[in-house]
Amino acid sequence: MPSSTPGFAMLDARAMVKRRLGLRLWLSGGWLVVLVVAATFAPWLAPHNPLEQDLFTSRLPPFWMAGAEPGYWLGTDSLGRDVLSRIMYGARIALVVALIAGTATALIGATLGLIAGYFRGWADLVISRLVDIWMAFPPVLFAILLIAVMGPGLVSVIVAIIVIDWTRFARVVRAEAMAQGAMDYVASAQVAGQKRLGTMLTEILPNVLPTIVVLLTLEMGIAVIVEAILSFVNLSISTDFPTWGGMIAEGRTSVHQAWWVLVFPLATLFLTVLSFSQLGEGLKDRFDPVLR
Amino acid sequence: MTDLYTVTDMHLSLADMVNKPLFGSAPRIDILHGLSFSIKRGEVLGIVGGSGSGKSTLGRVLVRLLEPSRGQVLFDGQDITHLNEDALRPLRRRFQMIFQDPMSSLNPRRTVGSIIAAPLKLHGFDRISVRVDQALDHVGLPRSFRTRYPHELSGGQRQRVGIARAIAMEPEFILADEIVSGLDVSSQAQVLKLLADLVADLGLTLAFISHDLSVIRRLCGTVMVLYQGRIVEHRASDALFAAPEAAYTRELLGAIPLPDPDQPWGAQAG
Ligand SMILES: Nc1ncnc2c1ncn2[C@@H]1O[C@H](COP(=O)(O)OP(=O)(O)OP(=O)(O)O)[C@@H](O)[C@H]1O
Ligand SMILES: [Mg+2]
């Protein structure tokens, strides 16, 4: 047809544009992979039993310092327990909390936010009021109250994180869904005869997903911190199973004699939280078609 | 020729959310005040009028994105005035819409191929992949554009995707709401030529909303002039441009520059 001739002259210039290298994604993803491997295979990889005390090897310095013992790479604490092994086992708790609490928070918050923002009306009224009331409680008090009621432990920590942080997802996702809902492609889906639930899942959700992913990885970082804080004040897992927060609390008391007991878990915690927050942005840069 | 659309005394009011009291329902503002007209099969109807005159609102009633508050809208003899979404669904294939802003009307996180295919899947078309290719051919886009995202296209190309999505459904009626107003002059001309060819080739009925009278004059057989939610003139294009009857139409015609300043509009008709 005559009208179509100019179209075939159109260039496909996309192949000429190189995607930018996601250094951020590689660094943060790399650290988290190392951590996941270390945590998963800790029984085989850890050089020592993390609970084994040995007063003859107490406060050994890390491997490069004078007086270090071979096999105790990052030194030992005042009870002679291997710091590296304890960090690896501590990663198990940290990652389990990050994964479960982060995912559950995202699922609950994002679902409610999506429904409120897209369907509006009474659903929005109910959900938005709930969020407002929820956010009126001071979060730390809320968490401590909750753990006081449920008793300390891993489950309480996870529940506390979900209960406090779902509103963060709900608010952001609601605003985003609302903005997307006003776009013409949503009207276009209606013209095509798409059901509303279908439009929410196939048109709105893909556009809100990058935001959800960024929030989710941030939330995982937050979950790691919250778990560390709660185990620091002894409200998390109650046995003497190693946690990063617990190690930091113990290391603090002997920081002048054995700084490594404090510094290594602290650095691990810092790197992990940083990696989670960078991972989301990195994934977005790499996989969001709109930014490519 | 038979009537594809018959609209009788159609009123439309929308909730005025700005003046909504804290409790209770929002007051309603009337936007369309009793429109009656019909659109024949194969007709190309131009809808003009000032900003806020209700052109888009009227268009959105025709494709039933909005529900009239009073009156009746018949599509091919069937009353669609108050049909709910479930009852409308089988009919929806038959009236399609091309939107003004192709950036907003194409989902930015879907590829062109998936944008064109989605409505076809909903309506149970067969050989969807072939149909997508055909639709791209029709609007003069290379088939390789299937894997592109909307932001990787130019404005004119995006608008062609919007057109491809509409015609792929093999509709009887297409509403085009200011579809060239966001484009530069040369893409405007190309898209308009494409639309005119498609309407002729596919035997479509078209309602074309525009501010631009010279475009309407070139493209449309009949013209409807809206002013503050009322039809002030609705006639064959030649007759209307030759001798505008309503004072408002004359005002609209007077506001655009003539190709030859020595001749009035009437002398150029035909
Ligand atoms: N959702 C809404 N709520 C309240 N009033 C609305 C809404 N949408 C449109 N209106 C009002 O309805 C009237 C007609 O709007 P419409 O968009 O149909 O005009 P239009 O002729 O398409 O204008 P334009 O040429 O600027 O696109 C305007 O006065 C507008 O303010
Ligand atoms: Mg309009």
Side-chain angles (χ1 to χ4, degrees), chain B residues 11-21 24-33 57 66-70 82:
Chain B
H11 291 253
L12 186 128
S13 55
L14 289 174
D16 182 6
M17 298 313 281
V18 178
N19 292 316
K20 183 188 184 304
S25 55
R28 303 192 73 84
I29 33 174
D30 292 327
I31 290 168
L32 300 175
H33 310 270
T57 308
L66 290 172
E67 184 179 343
S69 35
R70 251 191 311 141
H82 302 293

Side-chain angles (χ1 to χ4, degrees), chain B residues 187-243:
Chain B
S187 334
Q188 275 193 3
Q190 283 180 13
V191 169
L192 286 172
K193 168 112 173 46
L194 169 69
L195 196 64
D197 290 345
L198 285 174
V199 166
D201 291 353
L202 306 175
L204 288 169
T205 308
L206 179 72
F208 185 86
I209 298 177
S210 179
H211 277 112
D212 189 341
L213 282 167
S214 51
V215 167
I216 295 261
R217 190 181 192 203
R218 238 183 305 148
L219 191 70
C220 304
T222 41
V223 182
M224 175 192 296
V225 183
L226 282 186
Y227 178 67
Q228 295 186 352
R230 290 189 171 81
I231 298 175
V232 295
E233 198 160 356
H234 179 198
R235 285 195 297 144
S237 168
D238 295 346
L240 183 134
F241 282 103

Side-chain angles (χ1 to χ4, degrees), chain A residues 184-207:
Chain A
D184 278 342
Y185 68 79
V186 174
S188 179
Q190 194 186 344
V191 169
Q194 170 94 275
K195 290 193 175 119
R196 293 205 73 191
L197 188 65
T199 303
M200 184 178 95
L201 295 177
T202 62
E203 304 284 333
I204 306 272
L205 182 59
N207 282 291

Side-chain angles (χ1 to χ4, degrees), chain B residues 116-118 120-121 124-133 146:
Chain B
I116 300 174
L120 297 175
K121 287 188 186 140
F125 278 88
D126 58 344
R127 299 179 300 119
I128 286 175
S129 179
V130 178
R131 288 172 190 274
V132 171
D133 281 340
R146 288 175 69 134

Side-chain angles (χ1 to χ4, degrees), chain A residues 105 108 112 126-140 142-143 146 159-168 170-171:
Chain A
T105 311
I108 295 170
L112 290 176
V126 172
I127 293 170
S128 292
R129 283 298 158 281
L130 192 62
V131 170
D132 289 343
I133 294 167
W134 216 268
M135 298 213 328
F137 288 106
V140 177
F142 205 12
L146 217 117
V159 170
I161 292 169
I162 298 170
V163 159
I164 292 164
D165 264 356
W166 69 273
T167 54
R168 182 202 316 270
R171 269 187 325 143

Side-chain angles (χ1 to χ4, degrees), chain B residues 60-254:
Chain B
R60 280 168 188 255
V61 170
L62 293 178
V63 295
R64 270 308 311 277
L65 282 176
L66 290 172
E67 184 179 343
S69 35
R70 251 191 311 141
Q72 192 183 47
V73 179
L74 299 182
F75 174 79
D76 197 19
Q78 187 170 353
D79 190 342
I80 60 166
T81 324
H82 302 293
L83 286 189
N84 61 26
E85 275 303 322
D86 288 328
L88 275 171
R89 197 157 294 122
L91 284 168
R92 284 227 175 262
R93 181 194 66 76
R94 301 172 63 189
F95 39 85
Q96 288 298 303
M97 171 166 183
I98 308 166
F99 291 83
Q100 168 171 4
D101 174 9
M103 201 64 241
S104 151
S105 69
L106 305 179
N107 190 332
R109 289 184 176 82
R110 274 178 173 242
T111 60
V112 167
S114 133
I115 286 172
I116 300 174
L120 297 175
K121 287 188 186 140
L122 283 175
H123 288 270
F125 278 88
D126 58 344
R127 299 179 300 119
I128 286 175
S129 179
V130 178
R131 288 172 190 274
V132 171
D133 281 340
Q134 281 171 350
L136 286 170
D137 293 348
H138 265 307
V139 298
L141 291 175
R143 291 180 178 181
S144 65
F145 274 34
R146 288 175 69 134
T147 57
R148 285 207 181 189
Y149 288 92
H151 69 278
E152 297 170 324
L153 306 179
S154 74
Q157 291 169 341
R158 273 181 220 140
Q159 201 51 289
R160 284 166 194 259
V161 174
I163 296 172
R165 169 172 61 188
I167 61 164
M169 294 277 269
E170 301 177 355
E172 288 150 61
F173 172 80
I174 287 186
L175 166 74
D177 189 351
E178 311 241 20
I179 61 166
V180 293
S181 61
L183 305 180
D184 64 79
V185 180
S186 76
S187 334
Q188 275 193 3
Q190 283 180 13
V191 169
L192 286 172
K193 168 112 173 46
L194 169 69
L195 196 64
D197 290 345
L198 285 174
V199 166
D201 291 353
L202 306 175
L204 288 169
T205 308
L206 179 72
F208 185 86
I209 298 177
S210 179
H211 277 112
D212 189 341
L213 282 167
S214 51
V215 167
I216 295 261
R217 190 181 192 203
R218 238 183 305 148
L219 191 70
C220 304
T222 41
V223 182
M224 175 192 296
V225 183
L226 282 186
Y227 178 67
Q228 295 186 352
R230 290 189 171 81
I231 298 175
V232 295
E233 198 160 356
H234 179 198
R235 285 195 297 144
S237 168
D238 295 346
L240 183 134
F241 282 103
E245 275 174 2
Y248 179 69
T249 315
R250 282 199 292 274
E251 208 177 297
L252 275 183
L253 289 178

Side-chain angles (χ1 to χ4, degrees), chain A residues 20 26 31 46 54 65 89 104-105 112 117 128 136 139 143-144 154 171 176 198 200 213 230 239 258 277 287:
Chain A
R20 60 190 252 227
W26 287 116
W31 171 254
D54 183 351
M65 285 171 63
Y89 275 89
T105 311
L112 290 176
S128 292
I144 291 174
L154 209 54
R171 269 187 325 143
E176 187 89 352
M200 184 178 95
V213 168
L230 289 175
T239 63
S277 73
F287 293 108

